[in-house]
PDB file of all heavy atoms in Angstrom:
ATOM      1  N   LEU A  31     113.061  59.787  56.469  1.00 98.00           N
ATOM      2  CA  LEU A  31     113.361  58.754  57.474  1.00 98.00           C
ATOM      3  C   LEU A  31     112.733  57.446  56.994  1.00 98.00           C
ATOM      4  O   LEU A  31     111.529  57.400  56.698  1.00 98.00           O
ATOM      5  CB  LEU A  31     112.773  59.148  58.829  1.00 98.00           C
ATOM      6  CG  LEU A  31     112.789  58.068  59.918  1.00 98.00           C
ATOM      7  CD1 LEU A  31     114.210  57.735  60.365  1.00 98.00           C
ATOM      8  CD2 LEU A  31     111.952  58.499  61.125  1.00 98.00           C
ATOM      9  N   HIS A  41     130.421  43.689  48.197  1.00 98.00           N
ATOM     10  CA  HIS A  41     131.869  43.680  48.444  1.00 98.00           C
ATOM     11  C   HIS A  41     132.418  45.089  48.708  1.00 98.00           C
ATOM     12  O   HIS A  41     133.468  45.244  49.330  1.00 98.00           O
ATOM     13  CB  HIS A  41     132.623  42.995  47.301  1.00 98.00           C
ATOM     14  CG  HIS A  41     133.842  42.271  47.778  1.00 98.00           C
ATOM     15  ND1 HIS A  41     133.943  40.902  47.890  1.00 98.00           N
ATOM     16  CD2 HIS A  41     135.017  42.757  48.249  1.00 98.00           C
ATOM     17  CE1 HIS A  41     135.119  40.582  48.381  1.00 98.00           C
ATOM     18  NE2 HIS A  41     135.800  41.693  48.610  1.00 98.00           N
ATOM     19  N   ASP A  48     137.548  47.280  55.415  1.00 97.00           N
ATOM     20  CA  ASP A  48     138.983  46.975  55.433  1.00 97.00           C
ATOM     21  C   ASP A  48     139.836  48.238  55.276  1.00 97.00           C
ATOM     22  O   ASP A  48     141.064  48.153  55.185  1.00 97.00           O
ATOM     23  CB  ASP A  48     139.327  45.977  54.312  1.00 97.00           C
ATOM     24  CG  ASP A  48     138.726  44.603  54.575  1.00 97.00           C
ATOM     25  OD1 ASP A  48     138.282  44.359  55.721  1.00 97.00           O
ATOM     26  OD2 ASP A  48     138.698  43.769  53.647  1.00 97.00           O
ATOM     27  N   ARG A  55     137.550  57.243  56.799  1.00 96.00           N
ATOM     28  CA  ARG A  55     136.184  56.856  56.440  1.00 96.00           C
ATOM     29  C   ARG A  55     135.543  56.044  57.562  1.00 96.00           C
ATOM     30  O   ARG A  55     134.819  55.088  57.330  1.00 96.00           O
ATOM     31  CB  ARG A  55     136.182  56.109  55.103  1.00 96.00           C
ATOM     32  CG  ARG A  55     136.825  56.963  54.004  1.00 96.00           C
ATOM     33  CD  ARG A  55     136.471  56.498  52.640  1.00 96.00           C
ATOM     34  NE  ARG A  55     135.053  56.720  52.327  1.00 96.00           N
ATOM     35  CZ  ARG A  55     134.521  56.456  51.142  1.00 96.00           C
ATOM     36  NH1 ARG A  55     135.258  55.963  50.188  1.00 96.00           N
ATOM     37  NH2 ARG A  55     133.237  56.673  50.933  1.00 96.00           N
ATOM     38  N   ASP A  82     105.115  54.611  52.252  1.00 98.00           N
ATOM     39  CA  ASP A  82     105.584  54.195  50.920  1.00 98.00           C
ATOM     40  C   ASP A  82     106.777  53.242  51.036  1.00 98.00           C
ATOM     41  O   ASP A  82     107.656  53.423  51.867  1.00 98.00           O
ATOM     42  CB  ASP A  82     106.025  55.406  50.086  1.00 98.00           C
ATOM     43  CG  ASP A  82     104.848  56.227  49.588  1.00 98.00           C
ATOM     44  OD1 ASP A  82     103.697  55.817  49.832  1.00 98.00           O
ATOM     45  OD2 ASP A  82     105.093  57.281  48.954  1.00 98.00           O
ATOM     46  N   GLU A 107     128.217  65.693  41.336  1.00 98.00           N
ATOM     47  CA  GLU A 107     129.413  66.138  42.074  1.00 98.00           C
ATOM     48  C   GLU A 107     129.162  66.282  43.575  1.00 98.00           C
ATOM     49  O   GLU A 107     129.913  65.711  44.371  1.00 98.00           O
ATOM     50  CB  GLU A 107     129.945  67.432  41.442  1.00 98.00           C
ATOM     51  CG  GLU A 107     130.502  67.153  40.040  1.00 98.00           C
ATOM     52  CD  GLU A 107     130.516  68.367  39.124  1.00 98.00           C
ATOM     53  OE1 GLU A 107     130.357  69.492  39.629  1.00 98.00           O
ATOM     54  OE2 GLU A 107     130.677  68.173  37.906  1.00 98.00           O
ATOM     55  N   ALA A 109     126.889  64.867  45.367  1.00 98.00           N
ATOM     56  CA  ALA A 109     126.593  63.546  45.931  1.00 98.00           C
ATOM     57  C   ALA A 109     127.890  62.758  46.122  1.00 98.00           C
ATOM     58  O   ALA A 109     128.101  62.119  47.156  1.00 98.00           O
ATOM     59  CB  ALA A 109     125.618  62.777  45.034  1.00 98.00           C
ATOM     60  N   VAL A 132     130.442  61.847  66.264  1.00 98.00           N
ATOM     61  CA  VAL A 132     129.697  61.842  64.998  1.00 98.00           C
ATOM     62  C   VAL A 132     130.031  60.583  64.207  1.00 98.00           C
ATOM     63  O   VAL A 132     131.191  60.177  64.111  1.00 98.00           O
ATOM     64  CB  VAL A 132     130.042  63.101  64.168  1.00 98.00           C
ATOM     65  CG1 VAL A 132     129.393  63.047  62.789  1.00 98.00           C
ATOM     66  CG2 VAL A 132     129.595  64.355  64.919  1.00 98.00           C
ATOM     67  N   GLN A 134     129.745  58.553  60.443  1.00 98.00           N
ATOM     68  CA  GLN A 134     129.535  58.760  59.014  1.00 98.00           C
ATOM     69  C   GLN A 134     128.385  57.877  58.521  1.00 98.00           C
ATOM     70  O   GLN A 134     128.170  56.785  59.035  1.00 98.00           O
ATOM     71  CB  GLN A 134     130.806  58.421  58.235  1.00 98.00           C
ATOM     72  CG  GLN A 134     131.976  59.332  58.576  1.00 98.00           C
ATOM     73  CD  GLN A 134     133.155  59.124  57.638  1.00 98.00           C
ATOM     74  OE1 GLN A 134     133.001  58.727  56.493  1.00 98.00           O
ATOM     75  NE2 GLN A 134     134.351  59.429  58.129  1.00 98.00           N
ATOM     76  N   HIS A 135     127.683  58.385  57.498  1.00 98.00           N
ATOM     77  CA  HIS A 135     126.634  57.607  56.821  1.00 98.00           C
ATOM     78  C   HIS A 135     127.309  56.831  55.695  1.00 98.00           C
ATOM     79  O   HIS A 135     127.804  57.456  54.749  1.00 98.00           O
ATOM     80  CB  HIS A 135     125.601  58.526  56.177  1.00 98.00           C
ATOM     81  CG  HIS A 135     124.761  59.312  57.136  1.00 98.00           C
ATOM     82  ND1 HIS A 135     123.411  59.115  57.261  1.00 98.00           N
ATOM     83  CD2 HIS A 135     125.077  60.299  58.010  1.00 98.00           C
ATOM     84  CE1 HIS A 135     122.929  59.954  58.166  1.00 98.00           C
ATOM     85  NE2 HIS A 135     123.916  60.687  58.630  1.00 98.00           N
ATOM     86  N   VAL A 148     117.902  59.429  54.815  1.00 98.00           N
ATOM     87  CA  VAL A 148     118.616  59.567  53.543  1.00 98.00           C
ATOM     88  C   VAL A 148     118.126  60.820  52.832  1.00 98.00           C
ATOM     89  O   VAL A 148     117.037  61.333  53.125  1.00 98.00           O
ATOM     90  CB  VAL A 148     118.399  58.329  52.619  1.00 98.00           C
ATOM     91  CG1 VAL A 148     118.986  57.076  53.243  1.00 98.00           C
ATOM     92  CG2 VAL A 148     116.927  58.122  52.276  1.00 98.00           C
ATOM     93  N   ALA A 153     115.739  57.934  48.183  1.00 98.00           N
ATOM     94  CA  ALA A 153     114.625  57.022  48.480  1.00 98.00           C
ATOM     95  C   ALA A 153     113.778  56.907  47.225  1.00 98.00           C
ATOM     96  O   ALA A 153     113.060  57.834  46.865  1.00 98.00           O
ATOM     97  CB  ALA A 153     113.795  57.556  49.648  1.00 98.00           C
ATOM     98  N   ALA A 165     113.839  43.242  47.065  1.00 98.00           N
ATOM     99  CA  ALA A 165     114.011  44.601  46.533  1.00 98.00           C
ATOM    100  C   ALA A 165     115.275  45.239  47.093  1.00 98.00           C
ATOM    101  O   ALA A 165     115.828  46.167  46.483  1.00 98.00           O
ATOM    102  CB  ALA A 165     112.794  45.454  46.870  1.00 98.00           C
ATOM    103  N   GLY A 171     123.630  46.131  43.524  1.00 98.00           N
ATOM    104  CA  GLY A 171     124.000  45.065  42.585  1.00 98.00           C
ATOM    105  C   GLY A 171     123.209  45.085  41.290  1.00 98.00           C
ATOM    106  O   GLY A 171     123.791  45.016  40.202  1.00 98.00           O
ATOM    107  N   CYS A 196     131.675  36.402  39.221  1.00 98.00           N
ATOM    108  CA  CYS A 196     130.215  36.240  39.218  1.00 98.00           C
ATOM    109  C   CYS A 196     129.683  36.150  40.643  1.00 98.00           C
ATOM    110  O   CYS A 196     128.984  35.196  41.009  1.00 98.00           O
ATOM    111  CB  CYS A 196     129.816  35.022  38.384  1.00 98.00           C
ATOM    112  SG  CYS A 196     130.275  35.223  36.654  1.00 98.00           S
ATOM    113  N   GLN A 202     124.452  39.831  38.281  1.00 98.00           N
ATOM    114  CA  GLN A 202     123.495  40.779  37.667  1.00 98.00           C
ATOM    115  C   GLN A 202     123.960  41.168  36.266  1.00 98.00           C
ATOM    116  O   GLN A 202     123.126  41.398  35.386  1.00 98.00           O
ATOM    117  CB  GLN A 202     123.342  42.031  38.544  1.00 98.00           C
ATOM    118  CG  GLN A 202     122.890  41.754  39.967  1.00 98.00           C
ATOM    119  CD  GLN A 202     121.531  41.072  40.058  1.00 98.00           C
ATOM    120  OE1 GLN A 202     120.771  41.050  39.090  1.00 98.00           O
ATOM    121  NE2 GLN A 202     121.237  40.494  41.209  1.00 98.00           N
ATOM    122  N   ALA A 208     122.164  38.485  29.221  1.00 98.00           N
ATOM    123  CA  ALA A 208     121.223  37.542  28.612  1.00 98.00           C
ATOM    124  C   ALA A 208     119.964  38.291  28.161  1.00 98.00           C
ATOM    125  O   ALA A 208     119.478  38.098  27.045  1.00 98.00           O
ATOM    126  CB  ALA A 208     120.886  36.422  29.598  1.00 98.00           C
ATOM    127  N   GLY A 254     133.602  30.966  21.837  1.00 98.00           N
ATOM    128  CA  GLY A 254     133.560  30.786  20.383  1.00 98.00           C
ATOM    129  C   GLY A 254     134.397  31.825  19.663  1.00 98.00           C
ATOM    130  O   GLY A 254     134.090  32.227  18.551  1.00 98.00           O
ATOM    131  N   PHE A 261     133.609  42.089  31.031  1.00 99.00           N
ATOM    132  CA  PHE A 261     133.299  42.836  32.259  1.00 99.00           C
ATOM    133  C   PHE A 261     134.151  42.284  33.392  1.00 99.00           C
ATOM    134  O   PHE A 261     134.125  41.076  33.651  1.00 99.00           O
ATOM    135  CB  PHE A 261     131.813  42.685  32.623  1.00 99.00           C
ATOM    136  CG  PHE A 261     130.888  43.331  31.628  1.00 99.00           C
ATOM    137  CD1 PHE A 261     130.535  42.670  30.456  1.00 99.00           C
ATOM    138  CD2 PHE A 261     130.382  44.602  31.860  1.00 99.00           C
ATOM    139  CE1 PHE A 261     129.692  43.262  29.529  1.00 99.00           C
ATOM    140  CE2 PHE A 261     129.537  45.201  30.934  1.00 99.00           C
ATOM    141  CZ  PHE A 261     129.195  44.539  29.774  1.00 99.00           C
ATOM    142  N   GLY A 280     139.010  45.956  18.668  1.00 98.00           N
ATOM    143  CA  GLY A 280     137.790  46.769  18.698  1.00 98.00           C
ATOM    144  C   GLY A 280     136.906  46.492  19.903  1.00 98.00           C
ATOM    145  O   GLY A 280     135.915  47.195  20.105  1.00 98.00           O
ATOM    146  N   VAL A 286     133.980  47.112  36.347  1.00 98.00           N
ATOM    147  CA  VAL A 286     132.974  47.374  37.381  1.00 98.00           C
ATOM    148  C   VAL A 286     133.611  47.185  38.756  1.00 98.00           C
ATOM    149  O   VAL A 286     133.287  47.887  39.710  1.00 98.00           O
ATOM    150  CB  VAL A 286     131.767  46.416  37.219  1.00 98.00           C
ATOM    151  CG1 VAL A 286     130.709  46.685  38.279  1.00 98.00           C
ATOM    152  CG2 VAL A 286     131.164  46.524  35.821  1.00 98.00           C
ATOM    153  N   LEU A 288     135.870  47.230  41.980  1.00 97.00           N
ATOM    154  CA  LEU A 288     136.491  48.359  42.668  1.00 97.00           C
ATOM    155  C   LEU A 288     137.763  47.824  43.319  1.00 97.00           C
ATOM    156  O   LEU A 288     137.696  46.897  44.126  1.00 97.00           O
ATOM    157  CB  LEU A 288     135.487  48.838  43.717  1.00 97.00           C
ATOM    158  CG  LEU A 288     135.794  50.002  44.597  1.00 97.00           C
ATOM    159  CD1 LEU A 288     136.090  51.227  43.757  1.00 97.00           C
ATOM    160  CD2 LEU A 288     134.574  50.271  45.481  1.00 97.00           C
ATOM    161  N   ALA A 291     142.420  51.373  47.035  1.00 95.00           N
ATOM    162  CA  ALA A 291     143.195  52.562  46.666  1.00 95.00           C
ATOM    163  C   ALA A 291     144.658  52.184  46.537  1.00 95.00           C
ATOM    164  O   ALA A 291     145.191  51.436  47.358  1.00 95.00           O
ATOM    165  CB  ALA A 291     143.018  53.645  47.731  1.00 95.00           C
ATOM    166  N   GLY A 310     135.727  52.613  32.654  1.00 98.00           N
ATOM    167  CA  GLY A 310     135.259  52.480  34.029  1.00 98.00           C
ATOM    168  C   GLY A 310     133.746  52.494  34.093  1.00 98.00           C
ATOM    169  O   GLY A 310     133.078  52.894  33.136  1.00 98.00           O
ATOM    170  N   TYR A 313     128.199  52.719  39.200  1.00 97.00           N
ATOM    171  CA  TYR A 313     126.761  52.650  39.492  1.00 97.00           C
ATOM    172  C   TYR A 313     125.919  52.621  38.215  1.00 97.00           C
ATOM    173  O   TYR A 313     124.905  53.300  38.108  1.00 97.00           O
ATOM    174  CB  TYR A 313     126.392  53.865  40.349  1.00 97.00           C
ATOM    175  CG  TYR A 313     125.272  53.645  41.359  1.00 97.00           C
ATOM    176  CD1 TYR A 313     124.650  52.411  41.531  1.00 97.00           C
ATOM    177  CD2 TYR A 313     124.825  54.706  42.154  1.00 97.00           C
ATOM    178  CE1 TYR A 313     123.634  52.239  42.452  1.00 97.00           C
ATOM    179  CE2 TYR A 313     123.817  54.549  43.079  1.00 97.00           C
ATOM    180  CZ  TYR A 313     123.215  53.319  43.217  1.00 97.00           C
ATOM    181  OH  TYR A 313     122.204  53.165  44.144  1.00 97.00           O
ATOM    182  N   LEU A 325     113.771  48.739  36.165  1.00 97.00           N
ATOM    183  CA  LEU A 325     114.139  47.361  36.504  1.00 97.00           C
ATOM    184  C   LEU A 325     113.067  46.707  37.371  1.00 97.00           C
ATOM    185  O   LEU A 325     112.826  45.502  37.278  1.00 97.00           O
ATOM    186  CB  LEU A 325     115.496  47.346  37.216  1.00 97.00           C
ATOM    187  CG  LEU A 325     116.675  47.656  36.277  1.00 97.00           C
ATOM    188  CD1 LEU A 325     117.940  47.958  37.076  1.00 97.00           C
ATOM    189  CD2 LEU A 325     116.915  46.494  35.326  1.00 97.00           C
ATOM    190  N   LEU A 366     120.640  41.105  55.053  1.00 98.00           N
ATOM    191  CA  LEU A 366     120.387  41.306  56.475  1.00 98.00           C
ATOM    192  C   LEU A 366     118.941  41.764  56.613  1.00 98.00           C
ATOM    193  O   LEU A 366     118.558  42.779  56.024  1.00 98.00           O
ATOM    194  CB  LEU A 366     121.314  42.384  57.048  1.00 98.00           C
ATOM    195  CG  LEU A 366     122.820  42.171  56.848  1.00 98.00           C
ATOM    196  CD1 LEU A 366     123.595  43.359  57.430  1.00 98.00           C
ATOM    197  CD2 LEU A 366     123.280  40.873  57.501  1.00 98.00           C
ATOM    198  N   MET A 368     116.060  43.175  58.947  1.00 98.00           N
ATOM    199  CA  MET A 368     115.854  43.845  60.239  1.00 98.00           C
ATOM    200  C   MET A 368     114.533  43.410  60.854  1.00 98.00           C
ATOM    201  O   MET A 368     114.367  43.428  62.070  1.00 98.00           O
ATOM    202  CB  MET A 368     115.841  45.369  60.084  1.00 98.00           C
ATOM    203  CG  MET A 368     116.894  45.936  59.162  1.00 98.00           C
ATOM    204  SD  MET A 368     118.547  45.353  59.471  1.00 98.00           S
ATOM    205  CE  MET A 368     119.312  45.714  57.900  1.00 98.00           C
TER     206      MET A 368
END
Side-chain angles (χ1 to χ4, degrees):
L31 170 67
H41 213 106
D48 292 346
R55 303 198 68 176
D82 286 356
E107 292 156 15
V132 174
Q134 296 189 28
H135 293 246
V148 296
C196 297
Q202 303 299 344
F261 294 82
V286 181
L288 181 58
Y313 212 2
L325 288 166
L366 305 178
M368 318 310 160

